Amino acid sequence: MSEWLALALAMAGACLVVVVVVLVRHRKSDRDEDTSETPDVIEYITMMIGVVYAIVLGLAIAGVWESRSAAQDDVQAEAQSLHEVSARAEVFPADYRGVVEKDVDNYVSFVVNTEWHYMRTHGEISPEGTELLAKLRTDVAERAPQNDIEAQAYQAMMDKIAVADETRTSRGGNVGPTMPGVVWFGLVIGAVVTIGMLFALQIGRSRRELILAGTFSALIGFLLFLIWDFDDPFGRGVSVTTDPFLNLFPFLGS
């Protein structure tokens, strides 16, 4: 089942539950119950619960979006650093340049074609990818620069490899859900309480009221799904992509 189909079913289920509860409640309610007015204190409490929950939802969405954006920036920095290593190797002799470029190509090919899937299934970066990056560092470091131009390029290459290693480590730290379980507990309980307060307002069974109640519950369901989808930057529908590698290393797309 696709994530979008699951979202549609969840939203439809939320609407259906609210509508059914309203209809059943009115069918079984006491005929002498006065539903024409709602006490002011209930309206005030309902308003405050809605405001507080809206703030919590906003902070949660901002948090997971920031985590996803940071993960995408790390991927961009990693790809750019490796591209710079290949570019700066141009000042070296052909044999050494060929070794460096081969190491870079092997690493980025592994990341795009193998490690991305490995991260989604295992929840961590691959040890083989770490070994490939270590091999690149070793091959770059083993040749001492022969002149000033090579010395400048050599230092820049080592710096860029360090950046790639750092961003790779950060990428590994962003694999898997980033939202603490206690936050999810609060979000779910808050959704139940917020939707439940609809019944404290003595909602009626008219078509307009049922549509509004169903739409409101579906909106809460969509926002929770949005947080859940962004919570895993590499493993779900709206995930971090390999586009930075594909853009800087065109051979990966062939």
Side-chain angles (χ1 to χ4, degrees):
M1 180 184 298
S2 69
E3 293 181 359
W4 294 109
L5 178 58
L7 169 63
L9 292 177
M11 294 175 64
C15 291
L16 181 62
V17 168
V18 171
V19 171
V20 169
V21 170
V22 170
L23 295 178
V24 171
R25 175 176 176 272
H26 275 270
R27 178 171 296 181
K28 295 184 178 182
S29 62
D30 188 351
R31 292 183 178 180
D32 296 331
E33 180 182 1
D34 183 13
T35 61
S36 60
E37 294 185 1
T38 300
D40 293 340
V41 66
I42 294 182
E43 292 183 354
Y44 176 77
I45 293 175
T46 302
M47 179 186 67
M48 292 306 299
I49 290 176
V51 170
V52 171
Y53 189 63
I55 294 174
V56 173
L57 276 177
L59 291 175
I61 292 174
V64 294
W65 177 256
E66 184 178 356
S67 297
R68 182 192 178 280
S69 298
Q72 186 69 66
D73 291 341
D74 287 338
V75 173
Q76 178 67 48
E78 183 181 1
Q80 185 64 46
S81 298
L82 293 168
H83 177 71
E84 288 294 326
V85 172
S86 294
R88 294 182 183 275
E90 294 294 332
V91 302
F92 291 92
D95 55 344
Y96 176 77
R97 182 173 68 248
V99 171
V100 173
E101 291 178 348
K102 181 180 179 181
D103 287 345
V104 172
D105 292 348
N106 288 340
Y107 175 77
V108 298
S109 296
F110 177 80
V111 169
V112 172
N113 297 324
T114 303
E115 190 168 51
W116 224 255
H117 177 70
Y118 183 92
M119 291 191 301
R120 292 186 174 186
T121 55
H122 293 78
E124 60 182 3
I125 55 177
S126 168
E128 185 177 350
T130 303
E131 293 174 1
L132 290 173
L133 186 59
K135 183 178 184 303
L136 170 62
R137 178 186 281 109
T138 300
D139 289 342
V140 170
E142 70 178 2
R143 182 186 186 279
Q146 304 298 316
N147 52 54
D148 291 341
I149 296 178
E150 289 187 1
Q152 294 176 7
Y154 173 84
Q155 187 57 52
M157 291 166 65
M158 294 301 296
D159 291 342
K160 292 300 181 181
I161 293 175
V163 172
D165 192 14
E166 180 182 355
T167 52
R168 172 181 172 79
T169 302
S170 180
R171 171 159 59 88
N174 287 323
V175 176
T178 58
M179 186 81 71
V182 65
V183 177
W184 272 115
F185 177 80
L187 289 173
V188 173
I189 295 301
V192 173
V193 172
T194 302
I195 295 175
M197 290 304 294
L198 292 174
F199 306 107
L201 291 175
Q202 300 179 344
I203 185 173
R205 57 186 297 178
S206 67
R207 178 179 300 180
R208 179 178 59 182
E209 289 173 297
L210 291 178
I211 291 176
L212 289 176
T215 302
F216 177 73
S217 61
L219 176 62
I220 296 295
F222 170 75
L223 293 176
L224 290 177
F225 172 84
L226 192 65
I227 296 172
W228 174 82
D229 202 35
F230 285 161
D231 188 32
D232 189 349
F234 294 96
R236 297 193 178 125
V238 188
S239 61
V240 175
T241 66
T242 59
D243 288 347
F245 287 102
L246 298 175
N247 294 335
L248 293 172
F249 300 94
F251 74 91
L252 294 173
S254 60

